[in-house]
Amino acid sequence: MIVFGRLPDRASSMKERVFSGIQPTGEMHIGNYFGAVVNYVRLQEQHDCIYSIVDYHAITVEHDPKFLPAKVLSMAADLLACGIDPKRAILFVQSHVPEHTELAWIFNCLTSFGDLGRMTQFKDKSEQQEFVSAGLFDYPVLQAADILLYRASKVPVGEDQLQHLELARRIARRFNGRFGEFFPEVEPILSEAPRLMSPADPGQKMSKSLGDKHYIGVMEPEASIREKIKTAVTDVGPRGEQMSPGVANLFLILKLSADSKLYAELEQAYQAGTLRYVRLKEAVAESLLGMLRPLQARRRELEKDLGSVRLVLEDGASRAREIAQQNMKEIRRLMGVGPESLKA
RNA sequence: AGGCCCGUAGCUCAACUGGAAGAGCACCGGACUCCAAAUCCGGGGGUUGGGGGUUCAAAUCCUCCCGGGCCUGCCA
């Protein structure tokens, strides 16, 4: 197979389009960062990326309107601080482009009730909620609309999202078959996405919802990050053959944030049985903080100038809207709805 | 539209016929530990969903409101 170099000219039109949605959780943790955000940043190089802060997804479970806007803005600032470049990628807020929900409705009518009921994430999440909204049930359909509204063909996802992506493909296929070829085949970009575990309970995935001790925020103050690493669980019983989950988790953070020499050195010490965990923890804290400091500095700058973040989102929304409106026009035509369809 | 049940600490729940609101887990501090975990010692935490009423006394009884779950019916 012949591999061509990058085509300089028509590169932008040749680039594959990537879409990804990020929930405005309020505080990005290093699990989100290493698991997803670094990929977003990397993908900007070679792809036409559209990143959306998905507030319509956030309201599928109980939320407080008083805090949502601040969470959205904060997530935007975090993403920019982490290296999302608004000159190369589109960053916008989902609800600022109403076509998302319009397309979701159309897709609702192409989605089987049974399929949605089989979504494992719905089953998990609905058990945790006392009030299960129809929106929570419908979540994957909105997600399909998010992606396909821009006719994106690549979606960076974790394994837990594959089922939803498969549904998006089914929906697209059904639409294409019934109303005309319009949507591309969506492919996952499965990265080697490291799964960071909770420092306080390494048996569980790092997550905000488990509590304060169970995640390390990307923008968290140094003292607090140090404390969480220092008190991280290591060996729960006598040291066995295999590295315990807690220690493995610390090594994983080290691997992701430190230079390989230090990692190799400590790994060797571990194998030799001479590694003191205090030393490991200090190294992890130092290298993680070393990596986070520039991001935190940029984040502080943005905090002083949230107006510029708002501008980025405005510009992003208008660029996204342009694509969305154009595609939606065609989708309506194919479906036989909208004012255009009545014109002779 | 009608009927039944529920709401107590962050979570799961307890509190007899009305009689001083409690436990487990979680959280915080200390001991122990290379650090943690486990264990031990100590600690904080509640307008009992909200308003009104009955009573010497209400988580408990009455009433209205809010929120949630379930059943039946009606309509598009």
Side-chain angles (χ1 to χ4, degrees):
Chain A
M1 175 175 161
I2 304 165
V3 180
F4 294 99
R6 272 178 71 188
L7 301 172
D9 257 28
R10 301 171 55 210
S12 71
S13 61
M14 304 286 291
K15 279 185 189 172
E16 284 182 295
R17 181 165 284 166
V18 166
F19 180 93
S20 190
I22 308 118
Q23 283 233 27
T25 51
E27 204 180 344
M28 186 192 292
H29 59 67
I30 61 172
N32 305 137
Y33 180 76
F34 290 119
V37 179
V38 284
N39 276 320
Y40 297 164
V41 174
R42 197 180 308 135
L43 285 166
Q44 297 179 121
E45 310 284 342
Q46 318 252 4
H47 297 78
D48 172 15
C49 294
I50 303 180
Y51 297 128
S52 181
I53 298 170
V54 289
D55 50 353
Y56 275 142
H57 286 281
I59 62 171
T60 56
V61 293
E62 214 181 296
H63 84 291
D64 191 339
K66 220 164 49 194
F67 301 121
L68 187 56
K71 286 179 167 184
V72 167
L73 196 60
S74 167
M75 181 53 76
D78 285 0
L79 288 166
L80 293 172
C82 289
I84 299 295
D85 178 2
K87 288 201 269 306
R88 288 188 294 180
I90 297 177
L91 177 66
F92 75 104
V93 182
Q94 184 185 32
S95 66
H96 300 185
V97 181
E99 281 78 8
H100 285 257
T101 49
E102 183 180 356
L103 185 56
W105 179 259
I106 289 172
F107 283 176
N108 271 332
C109 302
L110 301 175
T111 305
S112 102
F113 185 84
D115 276 353
L116 286 180
R118 260 171 256 126
M119 294 292 134
T120 57
Q121 197 174 76
F122 170 74
K123 290 194 265 187
D124 290 347
K125 276 193 161 180
S126 57
E127 273 171 28
Q128 295 161 20
Q129 300 293 126
E130 64 171 6
F131 177 78
V132 178
S133 74
L136 186 65
F137 185 65
D138 202 40
Y139 191 113
V141 175
L142 181 57
Q143 197 177 345
D146 295 337
I147 299 161
L148 292 167
L149 179 57
Y150 302 96
R151 301 212 271 183
S153 54
K154 297 282 181 186
V155 182
V157 288
E159 221 164 300
D160 55 329
Q161 288 296 311
L162 283 179
Q163 199 185 23
H164 288 179
L165 208 63
E166 193 49 49
L167 183 75
R169 292 157 63 91
R170 280 167 72 94
I171 292 170
R173 221 173 292 138
R174 188 167 292 146
F175 183 100
N176 288 345
R178 298 234 299 247
F179 308 108
E181 234 11 82
F182 186 72
F183 295 114
E185 193 89 334
V186 184
E187 306 270 355
I189 300 175
L190 273 169
S191 60
E192 71 289 11
R195 270 171 74 89
L196 292 203
M197 308 309 275
S198 154
D201 183 2
Q204 303 197 70
K205 202 172 85 173
M206 181 176 290
S207 155
K208 258 195 95 177
S209 56
L210 290 174
D212 188 59
K213 300 198 316 179
H214 297 272
Y215 71 95
I216 294 169
V218 173
M219 302 303 165
E220 205 172 310
E222 289 207 16
S224 165
I225 291 179
R226 281 213 162 79
E227 179 68 13
K228 284 181 185 178
I229 291 171
K230 185 176 164 262
T231 59
V233 172
T234 56
D235 295 331
V236 286
R239 202 181 132 170
E241 302 259 310
Q242 270 207 321
M243 197 183 272
S244 64
V247 176
N249 196 39
L250 288 168
F251 267 107
L252 180 56
I253 297 172
L254 190 68
K255 187 177 194 171
L256 292 166
S257 61
D259 63 287
S260 49
K261 211 171 67 193
L262 178 61
Y263 176 81
E265 184 196 325
L266 292 176
E267 233 253 305
Q268 211 171 5
Y270 175 84
Q271 296 301 345
T274 58
L275 180 65
R276 294 182 154 234
Y277 290 143
V278 200
R279 173 145 179 258
L280 173 63
K281 287 179 172 181
E282 272 162 14
V284 169
E286 278 319 310
S287 55
L288 180 63
L289 284 169
M291 205 214 73
L292 293 181
R293 261 180 220 118
L295 308 188
Q296 298 197 343
R298 251 175 293 171
R299 181 63 178 80
R300 274 192 295 273
E301 289 306 307
L302 289 165
E303 187 64 35
K304 285 187 233 160
D305 186 15
L306 287 175
S308 73
V309 178
R310 288 192 190 91
L311 280 178
V312 166
L313 293 178
E314 266 175 45
D315 177 62
S318 96
R319 286 199 281 159
R321 223 176 278 132
E322 202 177 309
I323 303 166
Q325 284 172 355
Q326 193 186 319
N327 287 340
M328 214 43 233
K329 210 168 163 181
E330 181 62 10
I331 293 163
R332 286 190 208 105
R333 191 186 69 78
L334 290 167
M335 290 295 290
V337 298
E340 300 288 323
S341 66
L342 291 184
K343 289 178 185 161

